[in-house]
Amino acid sequence: MDQVRGSNLYESYEMKQVTGETIRPGGFSLTERAADICKFAKGANVLDVGCGVGSTVQYLRYQYGLSAVGVDPSPLQLADGLSKNRDLPIFQGQGEALPFEHESMEGIFAECTLSLMDPSLALPEFYRVLKPNGYLIVSDIYARNEDGVSSLRNLNVASCLTGAVSRKVLTDRLQESGFEVVLWEDHSRLLAELTARLIFANESAGSFWGLVCGTGLCTDTKGAVNTSRPGYFLLIARKTNGNTHGNTNGNTHGNTNGNTHGTTDGNTHGTTDGTTDGRE
Amino acid sequence: MAGTDMIPDAVFECEKCDSQLEPGQVTVSYLGSSFPVELLRCPQCGFVLITEQLALGKMLQVEKTLEDK
């Protein structure tokens, strides 16, 4: 994940003051919706990538009885979460190099975090770690106006906003990585409500960004937001069994991480494909 | 929530109850969304003071944000 920019919005006190510990629009509402749709069996292994203090991990464990674990690159977030619940299974790690065996998870959640990762590395990692037919659940900001994406990239703050892409770009990336998108829902209202709460909590939306950026008023942020028209979505994708996807991406992206985690080629994915697995 | 939506050092009274308005958490609703905001309110009847600055500032921004969602 990108930790190089001026500041990390997800670590900011100002953001947590408004969002609580979930640090995303809608809190647990989309987590709950996705979990209800995916209908994971009790005890199913699921992973929250970018788990922060582990709120979703805790929620999935206690509300749904899942064997949920989480990874986050931020030692600050993890320490904060473990200080409240030292038994929480949350570990340091990042989406681009997951510290898990291949085909070990029935679900992966990336809630307002995929846009903070390098998708060319993270998506093949998700594919590698998911079991066949496993679910990838993504909620995130997207650019409703594709023309504004470049201005978002240059913002001096690490947030979902800076990595936002259009719906088409994201769904194309997922398909190229071997996923089938089974659900897309627009929840831009949740983003608008969060923005409104931030406005009420600060002098203005502009002053909030200034506070977070630590560089003044961040007028470029406001301009980039106006141009890109950020929205919010819930997406559920399923790991397909096709050799084509798995092997194609295995060669392109997967091998980069594959040596570390033992999924060195597409064969690993290919052996569990639809020819023997009739669950679809 | 920040208490900056109240005029510092100003004293307001509820004309109906003859009570001094006090800072308190109120829920502001607009277009189906609700937000907790700290505003001056009458401790007896619940009357809330929305200053011109708030109405033309943050509230206007919030309305635009929600209408443009």
Side-chain angles (χ1 to χ4, degrees), chain A residues 84-103:
Chain A
K84 288 163 194 152
N85 181 355
R86 65 179 184 174
D87 297 326
L88 212 53
I90 54 176
F91 312 99
Q92 191 158 14
Q94 51 190 45
E96 295 89 338
L98 293 171
F100 298 98
E101 294 290 320
H102 65 275
E103 297 185 357

Side-chain angles (χ1 to χ4, degrees), chain A residues 84-210:
Chain A
K84 288 163 194 152
N85 181 355
R86 65 179 184 174
D87 297 326
L88 212 53
I90 54 176
F91 312 99
Q92 191 158 14
Q94 51 190 45
E96 295 89 338
L98 293 171
F100 298 98
E101 294 290 320
H102 65 275
E103 297 185 357
S104 56
M105 296 290 166
E106 283 160 73
I108 291 181
F109 287 76
E111 297 177 306
C112 215
T113 57
L114 180 60
S115 50
L116 292 166
M117 303 174 205
D118 178 346
S120 70
L121 300 176
L123 292 178
E125 271 296 85
F126 296 170
Y127 189 95
R128 179 185 68 77
V129 168
L130 275 175
K131 289 183 179 177
N133 294 316
Y135 286 110
L136 171 62
I137 294 142
V138 182
S139 55
D140 220 327
I141 291 178
Y142 74 109
R144 286 182 287 178
N145 178 12
E146 201 166 349
D147 297 337
V149 168
S150 58
S151 58
L152 292 174
R153 293 286 174 278
N154 299 321
L155 295 178
N156 187 37
V157 59
S159 79
C160 303
L161 200 56
T162 47
V165 294
S166 68
R167 174 180 176 175
K168 184 176 186 317
V169 167
L170 178 62
T171 52
D172 284 354
R173 278 179 185 166
L174 284 163
Q175 281 164 7
E176 286 162 12
S177 300
F179 291 97
E180 178 195 4
V181 176
V182 295
L183 176 98
W184 171 284
E185 288 180 348
D186 182 272
H187 289 278
S188 298
R189 181 81 186 178
L190 295 176
L191 183 62
E193 287 180 353
L194 174 59
T195 308
R197 290 213 302 276
L198 292 169
I199 291 169
F200 275 127
N202 293 276
E203 292 302 319
S204 66
S207 71
F208 165 75
W209 287 108

Side-chain angles (χ1 to χ4, degrees), chain A residues 58-71:
Chain A
Q58 188 157 309
Y59 183 81
L60 293 172
R61 291 181 80 84
Y62 294 110
Q63 294 293 321
Y64 289 88
L66 303 179
S67 295
V69 296
V71 292

